[in-house]
Amino acid sequence: MSTKPQKSNSSKSLRTLNLVPGDGEMLKPAELIDIDGATGLTLHARRLYNQLIAHAFGPDMGKEGQEWAIPLVELRGAHKSNQHVAESIVSLMKTIATVRLADGRTRRVQLLGGNDMGEADRKYGTLTYSFDPKLVPLLRESSVFGKLELAVIHAFTTKYGLALYEALSRRVRLNGRFYEDFDLTAFRELLGVPDGKLATFSNLKLRAITPAVEEINAIASFGCQVQPVKAGRKVIGVRVYWHQKDVDALKAAYQELQRHKTGRRARLHEDAETVIEDTPSLFQ
């Protein structure tokens, strides 16, 4: 289903929060995608944050002081207790993100505001939550977003894959653009690589980039490729390419989504060649 604006006669219908997500998808404001400071978040915390955004999504996200309530059972997933939920909530509250504003300024915000949560050892209960008051005006004025498929979000097995998927989801629909250059610092931040981890490019490629690209190419509705940018023999950045998949590739992605996540890495290594290489890109 295509994304459509709610009925309105004002210019507000062009804002992200006035759009209606299609079946099986969520819309995530770009202000919550291209941020600095989320390197400490786990895959579970990133996925849970998307659940909270999807649950709250709509014009009310642009209202100061607004709160939402969601059953904890929806956030637990396969876990029997609420412990993972509690840990992720605290992690989101402790994450101070730096958002780049249109006028060049930066704003520091908590990813998640104050909240009330049911007892961690009880099966039922709710999480009542809000967003940082400094974040709300940015969401209200947002006009750029990523379209994320819910099944794909829950199918990722690596936080680097989910982070890259989100970043590309807001770029893949841009007319006339099919790649973007990043210096290594910016790309590490985009992937959410913690400071001091995967310090060499070879380790970054092996542990973060390759698994992320392989998984996106396997399960997403678009494909991507990452190539190193060098100055002499030193890697100084990367060029990230993206493309829409053809019908056969979309069918293969759908089939992979129906399979269990366990064993996916082995299947990908069996079926696909390495997509990150030093040879010229197919897109050049």
Side-chain angles (χ1 to χ4, degrees), residues 70-77 79-83 85 117-127:
I70 185 171
L72 289 171
V73 67
E74 293 186 19
L75 303 176
R76 280 202 301 267
H79 298 284
K80 294 183 179 180
S81 75
N82 298 322
Q83 188 60 39
V85 176
M117 180 176 167
E119 295 180 25
D121 58 350
R122 298 191 64 177
K123 183 176 181 180
Y124 300 104
T126 61
L127 172 73

Side-chain angles (χ1 to χ4, degrees), residues 22-63:
D23 292 338
E25 68 183 24
M26 66 170 285
L27 305 181
K28 188 170 186 178
E31 290 77 6
L32 296 178
I33 295 176
D34 288 346
I35 58 176
D36 296 334
T39 57
L41 296 179
T42 64
L43 175 62
H44 184 272
R46 287 174 176 270
R47 190 179 287 136
L48 184 143
Y49 193 49
N50 282 332
Q51 287 182 267
L52 298 182
I53 294 170
H55 181 75
F57 188 84
D60 284 351
M61 281 186 75
K63 296 179 180 179

Side-chain angles (χ1 to χ4, degrees), residues 25-266:
E25 68 183 24
M26 66 170 285
L27 305 181
K28 188 170 186 178
E31 290 77 6
L32 296 178
I33 295 176
D34 288 346
I35 58 176
D36 296 334
T39 57
L41 296 179
T42 64
L43 175 62
H44 184 272
R46 287 174 176 270
R47 190 179 287 136
L48 184 143
Y49 193 49
N50 282 332
Q51 287 182 267
L52 298 182
I53 294 170
H55 181 75
F57 188 84
D60 284 351
M61 281 186 75
K63 296 179 180 179
E64 296 181 10
Q66 185 69 34
E67 292 187 333
W68 293 267
I70 185 171
L72 289 171
V73 67
E74 293 186 19
L75 303 176
R76 280 202 301 267
H79 298 284
K80 294 183 179 180
S81 75
N82 298 322
Q83 188 60 39
H84 276 78
V85 176
E87 292 172 356
S88 292
I89 292 298
V90 171
S91 179
L92 289 167
M93 292 185 69
K94 288 182 176 180
T95 299
I96 305 300
T98 302
V99 183
R100 295 180 287 274
L101 303 180
D103 61 5
R105 294 181 299 150
T106 58
R107 177 171 295 177
R108 295 176 181 84
V109 299
Q110 287 177 281
L111 285 185
L112 188 65
N115 57 85
D116 296 316
M117 180 176 167
E119 295 180 25
D121 58 350
R122 298 191 64 177
K123 183 176 181 180
Y124 300 104
T126 61
L127 172 73
T128 302
Y129 64 100
S130 62
F131 294 100
D132 188 324
K134 278 288 188 179
L135 178 60
V136 172
L138 302 182
L139 301 180
R140 183 169 59 241
E141 297 301 317
S142 175
S143 60
V144 181
F145 59 91
K147 184 185 296 185
L148 311 180
E149 297 175 72
L150 299 179
V152 174
I153 290 174
H154 290 283
F156 276 103
T157 62
T158 165
K159 72 172 188 176
Y160 303 127
L162 179 54
L164 184 58
Y165 170 72
E166 291 189 15
L168 292 179
S169 71
R170 84 165 195 84
R171 291 168 168 83
V172 72
R173 296 178 296 105
L174 297 175
N175 292 328
R177 287 187 57 186
F178 54 89
Y179 74 87
E180 186 170 339
D181 291 333
F182 298 87
D183 64 41
L184 283 182
T185 298
F187 193 63
R188 287 172 58 87
E189 189 73 43
L190 181 147
L191 290 180
V193 180
D195 292 340
K197 301 293 185 180
L198 309 182
T200 66
F201 183 75
S202 60
N203 281 338
L204 181 67
K205 173 182 173 181
L206 179 65
R207 302 297 183 186
I209 300 177
T210 297
V213 171
E214 285 182 343
E215 205 155 34
I216 289 172
N217 288 338
I219 63 177
S221 61
F222 54 81
C224 66
Q225 181 181 17
V226 177
Q227 292 190 337
V229 175
K230 296 182 177 181
R233 299 181 62 183
K234 182 179 180 181
V235 177
I236 60 172
V238 296
R239 174 166 290 185
V240 183
Y241 295 90
W242 56 84
H243 64 276
Q244 295 287 357
K245 289 182 176 178
D246 59 23
V247 174
D248 288 340
L250 288 173
K251 289 180 179 179
Y254 176 79
Q255 291 173 352
E256 181 59 37
L257 280 174
Q258 308 312 304
R259 305 174 77 175
H260 199 281
K261 289 184 286 188
T262 302
R264 178 177 298 151
R265 290 298 306 278

